[in-house]
């Protein structure tokens, strides 16, 4: 598979509803898309870097720079046996996982198309339906949040995750639990707490949460292990797990009992599979996180979620929760039982991509 050219595009699309976390509110997404042109087939990848370096250190701007100056040149003109060969070619660049994932995943997509295989089969996935949860951001009022939860439960979603931060946590969880004592519920702090708040965090135990996601620093494993020992509720790590090695260390330390795998954060399908395998070997369940992706990234999250150890509902949900119109066809749909059919094949709507593109560069070998 020869990599003949790479196109970078930035698209802009308003979210149907703003999404707020402990680090800020997003109303419109800027998304960097990568197209890899390989001997007659085009593979698409999505960069999950945010508009600002708030979730992690990357942003659309840094990814655009690193992709155009370093990563695209590292693979252009190369003949790859498989997309698996891309990561070593890009390894001279330290970190920048979301930029690398966008390109690596575009190559996986191209390889699947070239071999005429569904991407999930190329990855070795076995699940035919994906259990879905939703991640619901911080709202203006608790009543507004309860209303949103009611809508998502009625739609069939199998797990509700809310965003928490100091001042938007215990009372909110209390209101949810008094209305729905039995639903599968979790929360995500995106690093909003410190170890000084252990006593406060211990109060989360009363709500019988499936997990508390990333309560402490985004680069920390050790103090999460200290915290986990003091909580009954399982911790789940998101930001802190950037490699399969991180997963190994986290599990050795006892820093969490569940891991959220995000393709961008770990640098693409190859490393995501390794994180999956480390967790599987140690009987630690994983689930697929989301980064407010367009259909391109969403389809890749679905393919990843077909791997056997993705046993918990992920944050991979229907296109219409995010977009008036998604850039893939068909859009991602979720059944009334809360599953996505993993056998659906998605196609990029290039006409729509063109309409929402604000910049584009084609880089040839
Ligand atoms: O921590 O999981 C997170 C969105 C942006 C940045 C970080 C996170 C999230 C989500 C949204 O929780 C998941 C989604 O619906 O895509
Ligand atoms: Mg998270």
């Amino acid at each position: 598979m020869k990599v003949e050219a790479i196109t970078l595009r930035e698209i802009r699309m308003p979210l149907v509803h703003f999404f707020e976390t402990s680090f800020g509110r997003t109303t419109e997404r800027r998304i960097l898309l990568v197209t890899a042109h390989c001997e007659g087939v085009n593979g698409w990848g999505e960069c999950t870097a945010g508009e600002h370096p708030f979730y992690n250190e990357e942003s659309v701007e840094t990814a655009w720079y690193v992709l155009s100056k370093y990563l695209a040149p590292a693979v252009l003109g190369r003949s790859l046996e498989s997309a698996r060969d891309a990561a070593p070619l890009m390894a001279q660049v330290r970190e920048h996982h979301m930029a690398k994932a966008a390109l690596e995943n575009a190559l996986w997509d191209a390889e699947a198309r070239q071999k005429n295989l569904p991407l999930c089969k190329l990855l070795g996935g076995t699940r035919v339906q994906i259990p879905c949860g939703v991640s619901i951001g911080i709202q203006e009022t608790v009543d507004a949040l309860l209303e949103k939860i009611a809508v998502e439960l009625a739609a069939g979603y199998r797990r509700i995750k809310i965003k928490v931060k100091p001042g938007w946590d215990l009372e909110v969880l209390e209101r949810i639990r008094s209305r729905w004592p039995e639903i599968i519920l979790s929360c995500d702090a995106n690093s909003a707490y410190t170890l000084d708040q252990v006593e406060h965090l211990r109060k989360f135990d009363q709500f019988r949460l499936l997990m508390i996601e990333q309560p402490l620093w985004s680069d920390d494993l050790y103090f999460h292990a200290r915290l986990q020992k003091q909580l009954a509720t399982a911790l789940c790590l998101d930001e802190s797990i950037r490699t399969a090695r991180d997963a190994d260390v986290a599990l050795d330390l006892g820093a969490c009992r569940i891991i959220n795998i995000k393709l961008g954060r770990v640098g693409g399908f190859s490393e995501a599979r390794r994180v999956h395998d480390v967790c599987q070997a140690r009987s630690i369940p994983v689930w697929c996180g989301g980064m407010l992706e367009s259909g391109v990234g969403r389809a890749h999250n679905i393919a990843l979620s077909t791997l056997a150890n993705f046993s918990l509902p992920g944050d991979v949900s229907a296109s219409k929760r995010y977009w008036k119109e998604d850039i893939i066809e068909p859009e991602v749909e979720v059944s009334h039982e809360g599953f996505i059919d993993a056998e659906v094949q998605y196609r990029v709507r290039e006409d729509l991509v063109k309409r929402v593109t604000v910049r584009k560069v084609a880089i040839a070998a």
Side-chain angles (χ1 to χ4, degrees):
M1 183 172 75
K2 183 160 187 221
V3 188
E4 293 160 338
I6 290 169
T7 303
L8 306 184
R9 285 185 180 83
E10 180 186 333
I11 62 168
R12 298 202 184 190
M13 297 202 294
L15 289 167
V16 166
H17 186 269
F18 69 82
F19 190 81
E20 186 170 324
T21 69
S22 62
F23 60 78
R25 181 181 285 195
T26 307
T27 52
E28 184 190 49
R29 287 298 332 274
R30 294 174 60 187
I31 298 174
L32 196 172
L33 296 175
V34 175
T35 319
H37 308 274
C38 308
E39 297 169 306
V41 300
N42 290 340
W44 289 77
E46 174 163 346
C47 178
T48 63
E51 294 70 32
H52 307 287
F54 299 163
Y55 163 81
N56 68 356
E57 74 291 349
E58 294 185 80
S59 67
V60 175
E61 291 295 333
T62 67
W64 187 281
Y65 166 72
V66 168
L67 274 159
S68 52
K69 185 161 168 71
Y70 296 101
L71 304 178
V75 299
L76 272 168
R78 297 286 191 140
S79 285
L80 309 181
E81 195 80 46
S82 138
R84 277 196 305 266
D85 302 342
L89 296 174
M90 299 190 285
Q92 188 177 24
V93 173
R94 295 256 163 92
E95 306 290 348
H96 294 283
H97 289 184
M98 291 170 166
K100 287 174 179 169
L103 179 49
E104 192 195 299
N105 294 353
L107 294 167
W108 279 94
D109 197 58
E111 184 179 346
R113 287 174 205 276
Q114 192 194 50
K115 294 184 170 158
N116 210 4
L117 269 176
L119 182 53
C120 59
K121 293 288 176 297
L122 182 63
L123 293 167
T126 51
R127 292 176 181 273
V128 294
Q129 50 171 21
I130 307 303
C132 305
V134 284
S135 173
I136 307 181
I138 294 165
Q139 305 297 314
E140 298 284 359
T141 63
V142 181
D143 285 326
L145 175 66
L146 296 180
E147 189 44 45
K148 283 208 161 293
I149 295 173
V151 168
E152 304 299 9
L153 290 171
Y157 285 101
R158 309 180 75 85
R159 185 225 60 201
I160 300 293
K161 157 175 147 186
I162 66 156
K163 292 289 185 178
V164 290
K165 64 175 182 181
W168 180 271
D169 50 13
L170 298 175
E171 299 91 304
V172 179
L173 290 166
E174 172 63 45
R175 293 273 309 275
I176 298 171
R177 266 301 178 228
S178 56
R179 181 150 164 199
W180 295 284
E182 300 301 337
I183 58 168
I184 301 178
L185 181 65
S186 64
C187 71
D188 184 0
N190 292 107
S191 306
Y193 299 92
T194 70
L195 260 199
D196 298 338
Q197 290 157 302
V198 174
E199 281 315 310
H200 179 73
L201 290 167
R202 279 165 64 93
K203 295 184 181 144
F204 284 51
D205 278 344
Q206 67 188 290
F207 302 113
R208 293 167 287 111
L209 303 175
L210 178 62
M211 68 192 92
I212 302 173
E213 188 178 337
Q214 198 72 38
L216 306 178
W217 305 275
S218 62
D219 60 352
D220 172 73
L221 296 174
Y222 177 77
F223 290 106
H224 278 93
R226 293 253 299 256
L227 176 62
Q228 180 67 92
K229 286 182 184 57
Q230 300 180 70
L231 296 181
T233 309
L235 294 184
C236 170
L237 290 178
D238 173 354
E239 284 89 330
S240 299
I241 306 295
R242 304 172 56 100
T243 61
R245 261 187 311 107
D246 288 339
D248 245 328
V249 175
L251 298 176
D252 278 356
L253 288 172
C256 61
R257 296 191 206 130
I258 298 173
I259 287 180
N260 162 338
I261 302 183
K262 286 180 179 166
L263 279 168
R265 195 192 69 223
V266 304
F269 279 116
S270 301
E271 192 69 13
R273 275 204 308 202
R274 283 193 280 272
V275 177
H276 166 274
D277 294 350
V278 162
C279 294
Q280 187 171 40
R282 305 178 64 141
S283 302
I284 292 293
V286 303
W287 54 279
C288 184
M291 292 295 288
L292 312 175
E293 286 93 345
S294 79
V296 171
R298 197 164 297 280
H300 288 182
N301 288 342
I302 294 167
L304 179 69
S305 303
T306 62
L307 297 180
N309 193 38
F310 280 84
S311 54
L312 294 171
D315 278 349
V316 184
S317 53
S319 295
K320 67 173 185 218
R321 294 188 62 247
Y322 306 84
W323 317 113
K324 195 157 150 273
E325 251 186 315
D326 202 346
I327 58 171
I328 54 167
E329 209 171 50
E331 299 204 337
V332 174
E333 287 186 22
V334 172
S335 73
H336 294 297
E337 290 73 41
F339 289 97
I340 291 172
D341 176 354
E343 289 177 323
V344 173
Q345 292 299 302
Y346 300 97
R347 195 185 64 77
V348 176
R349 287 180 59 185
E350 297 195 33
D351 57 324
L352 182 50
V353 170
K354 198 167 171 187
R355 269 194 348 244
V356 294
T357 295
V358 297
R359 61 171 157 164
K360 174 178 163 184
V361 61
I363 313 165

